[in-house]
Amino acid sequence: MTGVQTCALPICYFIVPVHNKEFMIGDVYSGIRNSLTTDATYKIIFIIDGCTDNSEAIVKSFDDTNVVILHADDLHEILCLNKGLEYIRDKLNPEKGDLIFTVQDDVILDQQQIDRTFNELFTQMPDLGYVSMRLGVSIGLTGDTIFEHNYIESEFGHWKQLNLNHYREVRFGTLTFTDIAIRSPTCMLWDRYEEAGFYDENLAPCGYDCHDMSIRMHKLGYKNAVIGLNYISEVDWGGMRMNPESKINSRFGEIYERNRRYIAMKHRDYFV
C-alpha cells in the first residue's frame, strides 16, 4: 500500500518596488518571509528604484539566496512591476499556477500561510482573477472619463485608520467580489498574466493600472475580489514617492486625469 501523496504548493513570487524605504524595508522583507509556510518555495524580487538612501545595502544584507535585486532609474510602480514580471518570465521559468504577489514598500504582511491561503482560493475558484488584500471599487463611464463608486476596503486599510465612512468594510477572512481590485498587496496566478499581458505602460509612471488589469480580467471571464487578510500599512508610511517632492508626484493630478481618460477610451466597449 502506497502512502498518501500530497501536491506541492506553487512557487510564490513577490515583486517589491523600493524607493527610499531604509527605515522599514527590513520589516517588509520579514513580513513576507513570516507569511510563508516553512516549506514554501519562493523568490522575493526587490526593484531598487531610484533609491538615494541605504535601502539597497539593507536588502543586500538579507541572508537569503531567494532574494533577487534588480535596479531601475526612478521608474515608479508600473514599469518596476513589469521589470519584475519580465525577470520571472525570462529567468525563472514559472508554471501557470504559480502565485505572483505585488507588495508595496510600505506594506508589512502579517498573515501566516499566505501561500496556502491563496493556493486554496484559486483552486476552489478557478474563475478568480485579480485579488487585492486592500481595496476594491466599481467604475462607470461619464463622458470621456471614468468615475468610481461602491468602494470596499479591508479592515486593515488606511480608511479605517482615518475614520472615513464612504466605503464598505471587508472583514478579516472574508472574500468580497469587486469590479476593480487595487494594490497592495495583490495576488494573481502567473497564467492570468500570460493571458492578459503585463501592466499597460501607456499608464506609466503611475495610476489606474490596477483598473486596467481588472477590466482585462473581466473581459477574459474572471472575477476580481478583495480578501481581508492581515497586513500593516500606517497612513504616515503611505506613498512610495510622496516625500520628498519629486517631478512625478508634483504631477499626480495631471497624470491621474490623463489615465482616467485613457481607461475610458481603451475600454469603452466594457462600459456599453
Side-chain angles (χ1 to χ4, degrees), residues 38-85:
T38 55
D39 58 347
T41 303
Y42 67 93
K43 289 286 184 183
I44 307 173
I45 302 166
F46 290 97
I47 297 98
I48 305 299
D49 185 31
C51 290
T52 58
D53 66 355
N54 292 317
S55 293
E56 181 173 1
I58 293 169
V59 173
K60 285 181 175 178
S61 74
F62 301 152
D63 184 18
D64 190 339
T65 58
N66 294 303
V67 166
V68 174
I69 298 176
L70 304 179
H71 295 89
D73 187 19
D74 203 8
L75 297 178
H76 217 283
E77 280 189 285
I78 293 174
L79 297 179
C80 282
L81 291 174
N82 279 354
K83 194 175 185 73
L85 291 167

mmCIF file of all heavy atoms in Angstrom, residues 38-85:
data_model
loop_
_atom_site.group_PDB
_atom_site.id
_atom_site.type_symbol
_atom_site.label_atom_id
_atom_site.label_comp_id
_atom_site.label_asym_id
_atom_site.label_seq_id
_atom_site.Cartn_x
_atom_site.Cartn_y
_atom_site.Cartn_z
ATOM 1 N N THR A 38 6.701 27.022 6.178
ATOM 2 C CA THR A 38 8.133 26.755 6.344
ATOM 3 C C THR A 38 8.736 26.048 5.136
ATOM 4 O O THR A 38 9.941 26.168 4.884
ATOM 5 C CB THR A 38 8.381 25.908 7.602
ATOM 6 O OG1 THR A 38 7.587 24.717 7.540
ATOM 7 C CG2 THR A 38 8.006 26.698 8.846
ATOM 8 N N ASP A 39 7.914 25.304 4.391
ATOM 9 C CA ASP A 39 8.440 24.567 3.238
ATOM 10 C C ASP A 39 8.143 25.272 1.914
ATOM 11 O O ASP A 39 8.268 24.671 0.846
ATOM 12 C CB ASP A 39 7.865 23.150 3.207
ATOM 13 C CG ASP A 39 6.335 23.124 3.147
ATOM 14 O OD1 ASP A 39 5.711 24.185 3.379
ATOM 15 O OD2 ASP A 39 5.758 22.048 2.888
ATOM 16 N N ALA A 40 7.786 26.538 1.956
ATOM 17 C CA ALA A 40 7.432 27.264 0.734
ATOM 18 C C ALA A 40 8.650 27.446 -0.170
ATOM 19 O O ALA A 40 9.775 27.644 0.296
ATOM 20 C CB ALA A 40 6.842 28.627 1.087
ATOM 21 N N THR A 41 8.395 27.401 -1.472
ATOM 22 C CA THR A 41 9.392 27.764 -2.470
ATOM 23 C C THR A 41 9.037 29.162 -2.954
ATOM 24 O O THR A 41 7.900 29.410 -3.363
ATOM 25 C CB THR A 41 9.389 26.780 -3.645
ATOM 26 O OG1 THR A 41 9.605 25.455 -3.150
ATOM 27 C CG2 THR A 41 10.477 27.125 -4.650
ATOM 28 N N TYR A 42 10.007 30.075 -2.914
ATOM 29 C CA TYR A 42 9.670 31.463 -3.175
ATOM 30 C C TYR A 42 10.864 32.209 -3.756
ATOM 31 O O TYR A 42 12.014 31.782 -3.643
ATOM 32 C CB TYR A 42 9.226 32.151 -1.878
ATOM 33 C CG TYR A 42 10.346 32.294 -0.872
ATOM 34 C CD1 TYR A 42 11.124 33.457 -0.818
ATOM 35 C CD2 TYR A 42 10.654 31.255 0.024
ATOM 36 C CE1 TYR A 42 12.174 33.581 0.089
ATOM 37 C CE2 TYR A 42 11.689 31.369 0.923
ATOM 38 C CZ TYR A 42 12.440 32.533 0.946
ATOM 39 O OH TYR A 42 13.485 32.651 1.827
ATOM 40 N N LYS A 43 10.569 33.350 -4.368
ATOM 41 C CA LYS A 43 11.556 34.350 -4.738
ATOM 42 C C LYS A 43 10.988 35.712 -4.363
ATOM 43 O O LYS A 43 9.794 35.976 -4.583
ATOM 44 C CB LYS A 43 11.844 34.341 -6.244
ATOM 45 C CG LYS A 43 12.612 33.142 -6.746
ATOM 46 C CD LYS A 43 14.081 33.205 -6.364
ATOM 47 C CE LYS A 43 14.862 32.041 -6.965
ATOM 48 N NZ LYS A 43 16.285 32.056 -6.526
ATOM 49 N N ILE A 44 11.821 36.551 -3.776
ATOM 50 C CA ILE A 44 11.420 37.925 -3.478
ATOM 51 C C ILE A 44 12.261 38.831 -4.368
ATOM 52 O O ILE A 44 13.494 38.853 -4.243
ATOM 53 C CB ILE A 44 11.622 38.280 -1.995
ATOM 54 C CG1 ILE A 44 10.937 37.248 -1.099
ATOM 55 C CG2 ILE A 44 11.084 39.684 -1.713
ATOM 56 C CD1 ILE A 44 11.233 37.441 0.387
ATOM 57 N N ILE A 45 11.615 39.547 -5.254
ATOM 58 C CA ILE A 45 12.311 40.375 -6.237
ATOM 59 C C ILE A 45 12.161 41.832 -5.818
ATOM 60 O O ILE A 45 11.081 42.425 -5.925
ATOM 61 C CB ILE A 45 11.733 40.142 -7.641
ATOM 62 C CG1 ILE A 45 11.851 38.661 -8.014
ATOM 63 C CG2 ILE A 45 12.447 41.013 -8.678
ATOM 64 C CD1 ILE A 45 11.021 38.264 -9.209
ATOM 65 N N PHE A 46 13.237 42.401 -5.315
ATOM 66 C CA PHE A 46 13.264 43.809 -4.943
ATOM 67 C C PHE A 46 13.771 44.617 -6.135
ATOM 68 O O PHE A 46 14.850 44.330 -6.670
ATOM 69 C CB PHE A 46 14.183 44.052 -3.745
ATOM 70 C CG PHE A 46 13.675 43.492 -2.447
ATOM 71 C CD1 PHE A 46 14.113 42.253 -1.987
ATOM 72 C CD2 PHE A 46 12.766 44.202 -1.678
ATOM 73 C CE1 PHE A 46 13.661 41.743 -0.784
ATOM 74 C CE2 PHE A 46 12.299 43.693 -0.472
ATOM 75 C CZ PHE A 46 12.750 42.461 -0.023
ATOM 76 N N ILE A 47 12.996 45.610 -6.562
ATOM 77 C CA ILE A 47 13.452 46.531 -7.598
ATOM 78 C C ILE A 47 13.884 47.810 -6.904
ATOM 79 O O ILE A 47 13.046 48.554 -6.374
ATOM 80 C CB ILE A 47 12.378 46.809 -8.654
ATOM 81 C CG1 ILE A 47 12.006 45.524 -9.403
ATOM 82 C CG2 ILE A 47 12.879 47.837 -9.664
ATOM 83 C CD1 ILE A 47 10.777 44.848 -8.903
ATOM 84 N N ILE A 48 15.177 48.055 -6.853
ATOM 85 C CA ILE A 48 15.729 49.253 -6.218
ATOM 86 C C ILE A 48 15.565 50.396 -7.210
ATOM 87 O O ILE A 48 16.303 50.514 -8.184
ATOM 88 C CB ILE A 48 17.199 49.046 -5.834
ATOM 89 C CG1 ILE A 48 17.359 47.797 -4.957
ATOM 90 C CG2 ILE A 48 17.752 50.280 -5.140
ATOM 91 C CD1 ILE A 48 16.605 47.849 -3.641
ATOM 92 N N ASP A 49 14.565 51.245 -6.957
ATOM 93 C CA ASP A 49 14.102 52.188 -7.974
ATOM 94 C C ASP A 49 14.449 53.632 -7.597
ATOM 95 O O ASP A 49 13.708 54.288 -6.878
ATOM 96 C CB ASP A 49 12.591 52.030 -8.156
ATOM 97 C CG ASP A 49 12.052 52.898 -9.276
ATOM 98 O OD1 ASP A 49 12.794 53.146 -10.252
ATOM 99 O OD2 ASP A 49 10.894 53.332 -9.186
ATOM 100 N N GLY A 50 15.583 54.096 -8.076
ATOM 101 C CA GLY A 50 15.973 55.474 -7.824
ATOM 102 C C GLY A 50 16.278 55.765 -6.378
ATOM 103 O O GLY A 50 16.130 56.909 -5.925
ATOM 104 N N CYS A 51 16.696 54.767 -5.606
ATOM 105 C CA CYS A 51 16.953 54.973 -4.182
ATOM 106 C C CYS A 51 18.211 55.815 -3.980
ATOM 107 O O CYS A 51 19.243 55.582 -4.614
ATOM 108 C CB CYS A 51 17.124 53.635 -3.474
ATOM 109 S SG CYS A 51 15.606 52.672 -3.334
ATOM 110 N N THR A 52 18.112 56.763 -3.073
ATOM 111 C CA THR A 52 19.264 57.585 -2.692
ATOM 112 C C THR A 52 19.644 57.369 -1.232
ATOM 113 O O THR A 52 20.502 58.075 -0.709
ATOM 114 C CB THR A 52 18.962 59.073 -2.938
ATOM 115 O OG1 THR A 52 17.794 59.445 -2.195
ATOM 116 C CG2 THR A 52 18.725 59.345 -4.421
ATOM 117 N N ASP A 53 19.004 56.398 -0.585
ATOM 118 C CA ASP A 53 19.302 56.094 0.815
ATOM 119 C C ASP A 53 19.996 54.731 0.900
ATOM 120 O O ASP A 53 20.573 54.256 -0.071
ATOM 121 C CB ASP A 53 18.030 56.159 1.656
ATOM 122 C CG ASP A 53 17.024 55.065 1.296
ATOM 123 O OD1 ASP A 53 17.277 54.308 0.321
ATOM 124 O OD2 ASP A 53 16.000 54.957 1.991
ATOM 125 N N ASN A 54 19.892 54.063 2.029
ATOM 126 C CA ASN A 54 20.573 52.784 2.245
ATOM 127 C C ASN A 54 19.688 51.567 1.988
ATOM 128 O O ASN A 54 20.007 50.468 2.444
ATOM 129 C CB ASN A 54 21.104 52.726 3.676
ATOM 130 C CG ASN A 54 22.230 53.708 3.918
ATOM 131 O OD1 ASN A 54 23.123 53.851 3.074
ATOM 132 N ND2 ASN A 54 22.193 54.392 5.055
ATOM 133 N N SER A 55 18.582 51.755 1.255
ATOM 134 C CA SER A 55 17.671 50.633 1.011
ATOM 135 C C SER A 55 18.391 49.445 0.367
ATOM 136 O O SER A 55 18.213 48.292 0.780
ATOM 137 C CB SER A 55 16.513 51.077 0.114
ATOM 138 O OG SER A 55 15.686 52.014 0.764
ATOM 139 N N GLU A 56 19.197 49.706 -0.657
ATOM 140 C CA GLU A 56 19.861 48.599 -1.349
ATOM 141 C C GLU A 56 20.831 47.861 -0.435
ATOM 142 O O GLU A 56 20.880 46.620 -0.431
ATOM 143 C CB GLU A 56 20.600 49.097 -2.589
ATOM 144 C CG GLU A 56 21.283 47.971 -3.351
ATOM 145 C CD GLU A 56 21.870 48.403 -4.674
ATOM 146 O OE1 GLU A 56 21.778 49.596 -5.019
ATOM 147 O OE2 GLU A 56 22.423 47.537 -5.377
ATOM 148 N N ALA A 57 21.595 48.587 0.348
ATOM 149 C CA ALA A 57 22.546 47.949 1.267
ATOM 150 C C ALA A 57 21.816 47.057 2.265
ATOM 151 O O ALA A 57 22.293 45.963 2.606
ATOM 152 C CB ALA A 57 23.363 49.007 1.993
ATOM 153 N N ILE A 58 20.657 47.501 2.719
ATOM 154 C CA ILE A 58 19.884 46.707 3.680
ATOM 155 C C ILE A 58 19.369 45.439 3.015
ATOM 156 O O ILE A 58 19.452 44.345 3.587
ATOM 157 C CB ILE A 58 18.741 47.547 4.264
ATOM 158 C CG1 ILE A 58 19.311 48.670 5.129
ATOM 159 C CG2 ILE A 58 17.789 46.676 5.087
ATOM 160 C CD1 ILE A 58 18.300 49.713 5.541
ATOM 161 N N VAL A 59 18.857 45.555 1.791
ATOM 162 C CA VAL A 59 18.375 44.363 1.080
ATOM 163 C C VAL A 59 19.534 43.395 0.838
ATOM 164 O O VAL A 59 19.376 42.172 0.981
ATOM 165 C CB VAL A 59 17.701 44.764 -0.242
ATOM 166 C CG1 VAL A 59 17.347 43.521 -1.065
ATOM 167 C CG2 VAL A 59 16.434 45.586 0.026
ATOM 168 N N LYS A 60 20.692 43.906 0.489
ATOM 169 C CA LYS A 60 21.860 43.043 0.272
ATOM 170 C C LYS A 60 22.285 42.318 1.544
ATOM 171 O O LYS A 60 22.930 41.263 1.472
ATOM 172 C CB LYS A 60 23.023 43.873 -0.264
ATOM 173 C CG LYS A 60 22.892 44.268 -1.726
ATOM 174 C CD LYS A 60 24.098 45.068 -2.192
ATOM 175 C CE LYS A 60 24.024 45.363 -3.686
ATOM 176 N NZ LYS A 60 25.170 46.187 -4.152
ATOM 177 N N SER A 61 21.920 42.855 2.692
ATOM 178 C CA SER A 61 22.323 42.235 3.959
ATOM 179 C C SER A 61 21.452 41.042 4.330
ATOM 180 O O SER A 61 21.809 40.291 5.252
ATOM 181 C CB SER A 61 22.283 43.274 5.082
ATOM 182 O OG SER A 61 20.936 43.570 5.459
ATOM 183 N N PHE A 62 20.333 40.835 3.655
ATOM 184 C CA PHE A 62 19.458 39.713 3.986
ATOM 185 C C PHE A 62 20.189 38.408 3.639
ATOM 186 O O PHE A 62 20.658 38.226 2.518
ATOM 187 C CB PHE A 62 18.138 39.782 3.214
ATOM 188 C CG PHE A 62 17.340 41.040 3.458
ATOM 189 C CD1 PHE A 62 16.483 41.525 2.473
ATOM 190 C CD2 PHE A 62 17.430 41.727 4.648
ATOM 191 C CE1 PHE A 62 15.740 42.672 2.677
ATOM 192 C CE2 PHE A 62 16.692 42.879 4.869
ATOM 193 C CZ PHE A 62 15.852 43.355 3.879
ATOM 194 N N ASP A 63 20.240 37.502 4.561
ATOM 195 C CA ASP A 63 20.924 36.220 4.349
ATOM 196 C C ASP A 63 19.932 35.242 3.727
ATOM 197 O O ASP A 63 19.418 34.343 4.397
ATOM 198 C CB ASP A 63 21.466 35.697 5.685
ATOM 199 C CG ASP A 63 22.274 34.415 5.510
ATOM 200 O OD1 ASP A 63 22.706 34.129 4.376
ATOM 201 O OD2 ASP A 63 22.454 33.702 6.520
ATOM 202 N N ASP A 64 19.661 35.448 2.430
ATOM 203 C CA ASP A 64 18.589 34.701 1.782
ATOM 204 C C ASP A 64 18.910 34.559 0.297
ATOM 205 O O ASP A 64 18.910 35.544 -0.443
ATOM 206 C CB ASP A 64 17.263 35.447 1.976
ATOM 207 C CG ASP A 64 16.051 34.629 1.553
ATOM 208 O OD1 ASP A 64 16.220 33.687 0.761
ATOM 209 O OD2 ASP A 64 14.942 34.948 2.005
ATOM 210 N N THR A 65 19.178 33.347 -0.137
ATOM 211 C CA THR A 65 19.510 33.102 -1.540
ATOM 212 C C THR A 65 18.301 33.259 -2.459
ATOM 213 O O THR A 65 18.457 33.253 -3.685
ATOM 214 C CB THR A 65 20.093 31.693 -1.722
ATOM 215 O OG1 THR A 65 19.144 30.720 -1.251
ATOM 216 C CG2 THR A 65 21.391 31.544 -0.947
ATOM 217 N N ASN A 66 17.114 33.385 -1.885
ATOM 218 C CA ASN A 66 15.902 33.555 -2.687
ATOM 219 C C ASN A 66 15.540 35.019 -2.916
ATOM 220 O O ASN A 66 14.480 35.317 -3.457
ATOM 221 C CB ASN A 66 14.725 32.841 -2.012
ATOM 222 C CG ASN A 66 14.919 31.345 -1.985
ATOM 223 O OD1 ASN A 66 15.098 30.720 -3.029
ATOM 224 N ND2 ASN A 66 14.910 30.758 -0.798
ATOM 225 N N VAL A 67 16.415 35.918 -2.495
ATOM 226 C CA VAL A 67 16.226 37.343 -2.751
ATOM 227 C C VAL A 67 16.948 37.722 -4.036
ATOM 228 O O VAL A 67 18.108 37.369 -4.248
ATOM 229 C CB VAL A 67 16.752 38.189 -1.570
ATOM 230 C CG1 VAL A 67 16.872 39.659 -1.963
ATOM 231 C CG2 VAL A 67 15.820 38.045 -0.376
ATOM 232 N N VAL A 68 16.239 38.433 -4.902
ATOM 233 C CA VAL A 68 16.788 38.939 -6.164
ATOM 234 C C VAL A 68 16.740 40.463 -6.109
ATOM 235 O O VAL A 68 15.731 41.042 -5.683
ATOM 236 C CB VAL A 68 15.972 38.430 -7.373
ATOM 237 C CG1 VAL A 68 16.452 39.074 -8.671
ATOM 238 C CG2 VAL A 68 16.038 36.918 -7.462
ATOM 239 N N ILE A 69 17.801 41.111 -6.540
ATOM 240 C CA ILE A 69 17.845 42.575 -6.594
ATOM 241 C C ILE A 69 17.946 43.018 -8.049
ATOM 242 O O ILE A 69 18.854 42.615 -8.774
ATOM 243 C CB ILE A 69 19.039 43.135 -5.798
ATOM 244 C CG1 ILE A 69 18.909 42.760 -4.319
ATOM 245 C CG2 ILE A 69 19.111 44.656 -5.948
ATOM 246 C CD1 ILE A 69 20.094 43.196 -3.472
ATOM 247 N N LEU A 70 16.989 43.833 -8.463
ATOM 248 C CA LEU A 70 17.023 44.480 -9.770
ATOM 249 C C LEU A 70 17.141 45.986 -9.545
ATOM 250 O O LEU A 70 16.844 46.482 -8.461
ATOM 251 C CB LEU A 70 15.759 44.171 -10.573
ATOM 252 C CG LEU A 70 15.421 42.683 -10.795
ATOM 253 C CD1 LEU A 70 14.125 42.553 -11.600
ATOM 254 C CD2 LEU A 70 16.550 41.949 -11.483
ATOM 255 N N HIS A 71 17.532 46.693 -10.573
ATOM 256 C CA HIS A 71 17.716 48.135 -10.455
ATOM 257 C C HIS A 71 16.887 48.870 -11.500
ATOM 258 O O HIS A 71 16.711 48.387 -12.632
ATOM 259 C CB HIS A 71 19.192 48.512 -10.619
ATOM 260 C CG HIS A 71 20.054 47.981 -9.519
ATOM 261 N ND1 HIS A 71 20.651 46.741 -9.588
ATOM 262 C CD2 HIS A 71 20.414 48.507 -8.311
ATOM 263 C CE1 HIS A 71 21.336 46.530 -8.477
ATOM 264 N NE2 HIS A 71 21.213 47.589 -7.692
ATOM 265 N N ALA A 72 16.375 50.020 -11.114
ATOM 266 C CA ALA A 72 15.637 50.883 -12.039
ATOM 267 C C ALA A 72 15.962 52.329 -11.693
ATOM 268 O O ALA A 72 16.379 52.638 -10.568
ATOM 269 C CB ALA A 72 14.137 50.634 -11.938
ATOM 270 N N ASP A 73 15.763 53.203 -12.670
ATOM 271 C CA ASP A 73 16.151 54.602 -12.527
ATOM 272 C C ASP A 73 14.930 55.468 -12.232
ATOM 273 O O ASP A 73 14.485 56.248 -13.066
ATOM 274 C CB ASP A 73 16.855 55.077 -13.805
ATOM 275 C CG ASP A 73 17.434 56.469 -13.657
ATOM 276 O OD1 ASP A 73 17.612 56.921 -12.508
ATOM 277 O OD2 ASP A 73 17.705 57.117 -14.695
ATOM 278 N N ASP A 74 14.363 55.268 -11.013
ATOM 279 C CA ASP A 74 13.216 56.063 -10.576
ATOM 280 C C ASP A 74 12.059 55.977 -11.564
ATOM 281 O O ASP A 74 11.526 56.979 -12.030
ATOM 282 C CB ASP A 74 13.638 57.522 -10.371
ATOM 283 C CG ASP A 74 12.706 58.264 -9.417
ATOM 284 O OD1 ASP A 74 11.839 57.613 -8.807
ATOM 285 O OD2 ASP A 74 12.842 59.495 -9.300
ATOM 286 N N LEU A 75 11.643 54.743 -11.849
ATOM 287 C CA LEU A 75 10.607 54.494 -12.856
ATOM 288 C C LEU A 75 9.194 54.538 -12.304
ATOM 289 O O LEU A 75 8.241 54.635 -13.052
ATOM 290 C CB LEU A 75 10.827 53.118 -13.512
ATOM 291 C CG LEU A 75 12.120 52.935 -14.282
ATOM 292 C CD1 LEU A 75 12.207 51.510 -14.816
ATOM 293 C CD2 LEU A 75 12.225 53.935 -15.432
ATOM 294 N N HIS A 76 9.045 54.380 -11.020
ATOM 295 C CA HIS A 76 7.757 54.269 -10.337
ATOM 296 C C HIS A 76 7.173 52.868 -10.537
ATOM 297 O O HIS A 76 7.793 51.997 -11.139
ATOM 298 C CB HIS A 76 6.780 55.362 -10.773
ATOM 299 C CG HIS A 76 5.910 55.863 -9.658
ATOM 300 N ND1 HIS A 76 4.829 55.162 -9.194
ATOM 301 C CD2 HIS A 76 5.956 56.989 -8.918
ATOM 302 C CE1 HIS A 76 4.239 55.843 -8.209
ATOM 303 N NE2 HIS A 76 4.912 56.953 -8.018
ATOM 304 N N GLU A 77 5.948 52.656 -10.050
ATOM 305 C CA GLU A 77 5.454 51.291 -9.882
ATOM 306 C C GLU A 77 5.211 50.525 -11.179
ATOM 307 O O GLU A 77 5.596 49.368 -11.291
ATOM 308 C CB GLU A 77 4.161 51.312 -9.061
ATOM 309 C CG GLU A 77 4.409 51.434 -7.581
ATOM 310 C CD GLU A 77 3.150 51.224 -6.789
ATOM 311 O OE1 GLU A 77 2.304 52.121 -6.764
ATOM 312 O OE2 GLU A 77 3.017 50.150 -6.205
ATOM 313 N N ILE A 78 4.525 51.081 -12.157
ATOM 314 C CA ILE A 78 4.098 50.303 -13.317
ATOM 315 C C ILE A 78 5.290 49.682 -14.035
ATOM 316 O O ILE A 78 5.310 48.473 -14.308
ATOM 317 C CB ILE A 78 3.264 51.171 -14.280
ATOM 318 C CG1 ILE A 78 1.940 51.563 -13.612
ATOM 319 C CG2 ILE A 78 2.994 50.427 -15.585
ATOM 320 C CD1 ILE A 78 1.103 52.546 -14.412
ATOM 321 N N LEU A 79 6.279 50.481 -14.350
ATOM 322 C CA LEU A 79 7.435 49.969 -15.067
ATOM 323 C C LEU A 79 8.262 49.034 -14.189
ATOM 324 O O LEU A 79 8.848 48.069 -14.688
ATOM 325 C CB LEU A 79 8.289 51.122 -15.586
ATOM 326 C CG LEU A 79 7.592 52.032 -16.610
ATOM 327 C CD1 LEU A 79 8.522 53.166 -17.038
ATOM 328 C CD2 LEU A 79 7.147 51.241 -17.829
ATOM 329 N N CYS A 80 8.306 49.296 -12.883
ATOM 330 C CA CYS A 80 9.021 48.405 -11.974
ATOM 331 C C CYS A 80 8.337 47.042 -11.882
ATOM 332 O O CYS A 80 8.998 45.998 -11.878
ATOM 333 C CB CYS A 80 9.132 49.023 -10.592
ATOM 334 S SG CYS A 80 10.400 50.291 -10.470
ATOM 335 N N LEU A 81 7.026 47.036 -11.778
ATOM 336 C CA LEU A 81 6.311 45.763 -11.724
ATOM 337 C C LEU A 81 6.543 44.966 -12.999
ATOM 338 O O LEU A 81 6.766 43.746 -12.953
ATOM 339 C CB LEU A 81 4.819 46.005 -11.507
ATOM 340 C CG LEU A 81 4.426 46.558 -10.140
ATOM 341 C CD1 LEU A 81 2.945 46.894 -10.103
ATOM 342 C CD2 LEU A 81 4.768 45.583 -9.018
ATOM 343 N N ASN A 82 6.505 45.622 -14.140
ATOM 344 C CA ASN A 82 6.778 44.918 -15.393
ATOM 345 C C ASN A 82 8.210 44.396 -15.440
ATOM 346 O O ASN A 82 8.472 43.321 -15.981
ATOM 347 C CB ASN A 82 6.500 45.822 -16.591
ATOM 348 C CG ASN A 82 5.025 45.879 -16.942
ATOM 349 O OD1 ASN A 82 4.212 45.150 -16.355
ATOM 350 N ND2 ASN A 82 4.663 46.726 -17.879
ATOM 351 N N LYS A 83 9.136 45.150 -14.886
ATOM 352 C CA LYS A 83 10.522 44.690 -14.819
ATOM 353 C C LYS A 83 10.606 43.392 -14.014
ATOM 354 O O LYS A 83 11.316 42.449 -14.382
ATOM 355 C CB LYS A 83 11.385 45.781 -14.192
ATOM 356 C CG LYS A 83 12.890 45.597 -14.363
ATOM 357 C CD LYS A 83 13.629 46.808 -13.812
ATOM 358 C CE LYS A 83 15.134 46.709 -14.071
ATOM 359 N NZ LYS A 83 15.472 46.927 -15.487
ATOM 360 N N GLY A 84 9.881 43.343 -12.907
ATOM 361 C CA GLY A 84 9.838 42.123 -12.112
ATOM 362 C C GLY A 84 9.175 40.976 -12.846
ATOM 363 O O GLY A 84 9.659 39.831 -12.811
ATOM 364 N N LEU A 85 8.057 41.242 -13.517
ATOM 365 C CA LEU A 85 7.365 40.202 -14.273
ATOM 366 C C LEU A 85 8.224 39.679 -15.414
ATOM 367 O O LEU A 85 8.242 38.474 -15.698
ATOM 368 C CB LEU A 85 6.037 40.748 -14.809
ATOM 369 C CG LEU A 85 4.962 41.031 -13.757
ATOM 370 C CD1 LEU A 85 3.826 41.850 -14.356
ATOM 371 C CD2 LEU A 85 4.425 39.734 -13.154
#
